[in-house]
Amino acid sequence: MMSFRDRIDNNKIPKHVAIIMDGNGRWAERHGKIRVVGHEHGVESVRSVVEGAGEIGVQHLTLYAFSTENWDRPREEVEALMGLLVQAIEAETDSLMENNVRLDAIGDLDPMPAHVLENLNKCKDRLKNNTGLNLILALSYSGQWDILNATKKIAQDVASQKIDIETIDHDLFSSYLSTSEVPEPELLIRTSGEYRISNFLLWQIAYSELYFTQKLWPDFRKEDLFEAIVDYQNRERRFGKTREQLTS
Ligand code: IPE
Ligand code: IPE
Ligand code: MG
């Protein structure tokens, strides 16, 4: 059997892949461990997927690491996740550098602990001149927050007459979102068998292909990413048109 890697059409690599990394808690439970152990193992999956995405030439990879709603988890779990984030960034920066990866973060970062932000910014700064994969961590992120935040900024710019209401269209609105620098994702992956978006990119996934897998995040590896990409490449993206229009 050919590997999924060999079945990928290199001319149809999605520019932007987004992933809802879910199932760490259930993974831990199945292994008789506490939830945090699942999160720890999830870091290995991130490493593998970042490597894989870079190998095949994905330009942007957005990983949903912590949602606005996740702040409501037990305090110990939130603290463990923040600690793990710092630990992972510190441990991975060298290899991200070697792999020519850039780093960015999107989300409502104000409530994030100062030392986490400091760490993140230090890493971002070290990787800023890299030209390979752009890794975007969605932290304290929600799609509705993103849309509301954009709306407020647009309202301010209308009020101060920087822009005219009539000029508000898709492209202008997109330019106020936290993802203004990246194209909309062609492919959205969610692990762990849940069929929902959980307030991830909402505006941006208007025409994304959705891929759901039963695999729990800590078991997900680059080969699973390649499988999702092969699946994506075999879909017909019609964008509201008829099939005949696509070939002409
Ligand atoms: C995803 O795994 C990680 C975060 C949301 C931070 P979960 O912690 O949601 O794992 P499950 O869904 O409880 O298995
Ligand atoms: C979504 O997972 C958020 C992240 C993966 C960071 P959740 O586990 O928080 O989502 P729900 O609760 O199943 O919707
Ligand atoms: Mg979950």
Side-chain angles (χ1 to χ4, degrees), residues 53-71:
E55 275 167 30
I56 60 170
V58 170
Q59 293 174 21
H60 311 278
L61 177 68
T62 303
L63 300 179
Y64 204 8
F66 194 83
S67 73
T68 306
E69 289 75 19
N70 289 149
W71 288 115

Side-chain angles (χ1 to χ4, degrees), residues 42-52 91-92 95 99 217 222:
V43 177
E44 284 164 44
S45 309
V46 171
R47 187 183 307 135
S48 175
V49 165
V50 167
E51 227 178 72
E92 303 297 329
S95 83
N99 289 315
W217 179 251
K222 62 170 107 170

